[in-house]
Amino acid sequence: MGNRVEIWIVEYEKEMKEDGTEREFILDVVDLWAHWWGDYIKRYIHSLLSFCARGVGTQLHWLRYASDVASLLISWDFMSSLNDYINSCMHLSGFRPDIRPRARIRDVDSFVWVLELRPVYNWTKLPNGKYYGSEKEVSWDFKIYSSRVINWVDGDKLVHPLEEFKRYDFKDDYLLYHVRVRFFRKGEGIDYTYEVLKDTHEEE
């Protein structure tokens, strides 16, 4: 029962090598889980992004760290649940957030979210030949994959989320939904734009 989903928040970092080529690598991964969200998130993507932009105040860099973004997702879900609780005469389900740390849960119905976080730097070459990157924007790629065709790792072996994520078989053929988001400074706050790059399935 439900529309269970695994949520992988993947933090990327970049460096400029001395030859002027940019290198990207995964720095950290946080894994979450939700019982009900599934692909319903498509209806609420604007609400989620708006909450995250406002939730970090002027601190653009908080939107590129996996642990900070995990706390934002849980906070947004809590606020949504609390609003439903306050505005409803049915209080049986309470108002705790549905998005939570995955821990030992290995139970997913149809979908996996992968949220890729990337800094966008302006690079400055230093006198020693190295490069310094000043953060211009933060880019998110929010993806929904079909879990029915992914080759899962052994769920009985608990490993660090970063190692587990690297073992998963996320192929473009399994990608159902993809939104690209740009967060940037505007005035005394953070603004954003987003574009739906792929949407190939109907919500269940």
Side-chain angles (χ1 to χ4, degrees), residues 78-124:
F78 169 74
M79 292 300 298
S80 300
S81 299
L82 182 60
N83 287 335
D84 289 344
Y85 180 86
I86 292 173
N87 295 321
S88 173
C89 47
M90 296 281 297
H91 294 165
L92 298 179
S93 60
F95 53 83
R96 67 169 178 79
D98 182 40
I99 298 175
R100 68 201 79 171
R102 188 176 62 130
R104 297 182 62 89
I105 300 173
R106 298 295 186 273
D107 180 15
V108 60
D109 278 345
S110 304
F111 306 108
V112 178
W113 301 355
V114 177
L115 180 51
E116 301 171 351
L117 319 175
R118 290 180 172 87
V120 179
Y121 290 130
N122 283 323
W123 295 102
T124 302

Side-chain angles (χ1 to χ4, degrees), residues 143-162:
K143 301 176 180 179
I144 300 177
Y145 289 89
S146 169
S147 67
R148 294 172 179 153
V149 289
I150 291 174
N151 295 322
W152 300 104
V153 301
D154 187 351
D156 293 331
K157 296 180 180 179
L158 294 182
V159 297
H160 190 280
L162 176 56

Side-chain angles (χ1 to χ4, degrees), residues 30-137:
V30 172
D31 54 334
L32 304 174
W33 182 89
H35 191 279
W36 295 102
W37 271 109
D39 61 338
Y40 299 141
I41 187 64
K42 292 168 51 179
R43 306 177 189 175
Y44 302 97
I45 193 72
H46 175 70
S47 169
L48 171 61
L49 299 177
S50 176
F51 179 89
C52 291
R54 290 182 289 113
V56 298
T58 61
Q59 306 302 309
L60 178 65
H61 61 283
W62 287 349
L63 293 166
R64 54 168 288 205
Y65 300 138
S67 56
D68 286 318
V69 172
S71 71
L72 285 167
L73 261 63
I74 294 171
S75 299
W76 170 75
D77 193 22
F78 169 74
M79 292 300 298
S80 300
S81 299
L82 182 60
N83 287 335
D84 289 344
Y85 180 86
I86 292 173
N87 295 321
S88 173
C89 47
M90 296 281 297
H91 294 165
L92 298 179
S93 60
F95 53 83
R96 67 169 178 79
D98 182 40
I99 298 175
R100 68 201 79 171
R102 188 176 62 130
R104 297 182 62 89
I105 300 173
R106 298 295 186 273
D107 180 15
V108 60
D109 278 345
S110 304
F111 306 108
V112 178
W113 301 355
V114 177
L115 180 51
E116 301 171 351
L117 319 175
R118 290 180 172 87
V120 179
Y121 290 130
N122 283 323
W123 295 102
T124 302
K125 191 170 185 178
L126 304 176
N128 62 4
K130 297 184 179 181
Y131 288 84
Y132 169 76
S134 58
E135 205 167 55
K136 179 176 65 173
E137 298 179 356

